[in-house]
């Protein structure tokens, strides 16, 4: 399994999504908890995938700046639509083997997808896997266009003991 940084790590990167002036082009603290799972057919285009991602997030009222990773099936990270969409969004792509995705319980499995690629879910299972597996929350079930499917999962917050402490400011100290 290649992680979002492409070197085997499973950390979630950060990136921008949206357009100029919407505030998403500025990195914010806590960014990167959303993982967008993507499934694409050979005919999918970057514009189609990017449009589907943006509309899915907007319809769910999710902050575009919280997206940290696109996640997909092994081998699909090299698909031109996935590469182009990830580059446009400024986020890394994580790829997972079909066997790993097949082991993830999802609300909307597809027998046709299972027959075609060896797992009954790509978008939902990849989103959940990329966001931490069993502890992740599927916040948007799969949504489809003609040649692409996306789903959105949220990574759990780290336990308080693992969160980075915020620096304290002493009274009278200038920021």
């Amino acid at each position: 399994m290649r992680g979002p940084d492409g070197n085997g790590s499973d950390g979630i990167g950060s990136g921008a999504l949206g357009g100029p002036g919407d505030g998403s082009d500025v990195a914010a603290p806590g960014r990167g908890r959303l993982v967008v799972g993507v499934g694409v057919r050979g005919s999918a285009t970057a514009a189609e995938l990017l449009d589907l991602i943006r509309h899915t997030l907007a319809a769910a009222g999710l902050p575009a700046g919280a997206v940290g990773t696109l996640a997909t099936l092994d081998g699909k990270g090299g698909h031109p639509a996935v590469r182009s969409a990830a580059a446009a969004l400024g986020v890394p792509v994580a790829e997972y083997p079909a066997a790993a995705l097949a082991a993830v319980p999802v609300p909307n499995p597809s027998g046709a997808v299972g027959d075609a690629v060896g797992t009954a879910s790509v978008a939902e299972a990849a989103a959940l896997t990329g966001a931490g597996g069993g502890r992740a929350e599927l916040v948007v079930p799969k949504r489809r266009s003609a040649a692409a499917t996306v789903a959105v999962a949220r990574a759990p917050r780290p336990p308080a003991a693992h969160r980075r402490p915020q620096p304290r400011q002493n009274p009278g100290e200038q920021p």
Side-chain angles (χ1 to χ4, degrees):
M1 169 178 64
R2 282 184 289 188
D5 64 2
N7 69 10
S9 137
D10 62 358
I12 295 175
S14 64
L17 173 66
D22 70 357
S24 64
D25 50 341
V26 178
R31 149 174 241 153
R33 287 186 58 223
L34 295 180
V35 176
V36 177
V38 300
V40 292
R41 291 183 181 173
S43 61
T45 66
E48 177 185 10
L49 180 57
L50 191 56
D51 187 53
L52 182 58
I53 292 168
R54 286 185 171 146
H55 281 93
T56 298
L57 291 170
L62 295 171
V67 173
T69 303
L70 295 185
T72 193
L73 178 67
D74 253 352
K76 291 293 186 172
H79 187 287
V82 176
R83 280 196 331 260
S84 294
L89 302 173
V91 298
V93 176
E95 296 179 86
Y96 300 98
L101 297 181
V104 178
V106 296
N108 303 295
S110 165
V113 171
D115 291 344
V117 299
T119 176
S121 175
V122 174
E124 289 176 337
L128 286 165
T129 300
R135 298 184 327 125
E137 172 191 8
L138 187 66
V139 291
V140 180
K142 69 181 177 182
R143 304 262 169 104
R144 288 178 231 149
S145 64
T149 305
V150 302
V152 183
R154 180 180 293 124
R157 287 194 181 276
H162 295 125
R163 290 189 195 139
R164 265 190 232 157
Q166 296 299 313
R168 282 200 215 183
Q169 192 173 16
N170 292 327
E173 213 179 289
Q174 295 296 318

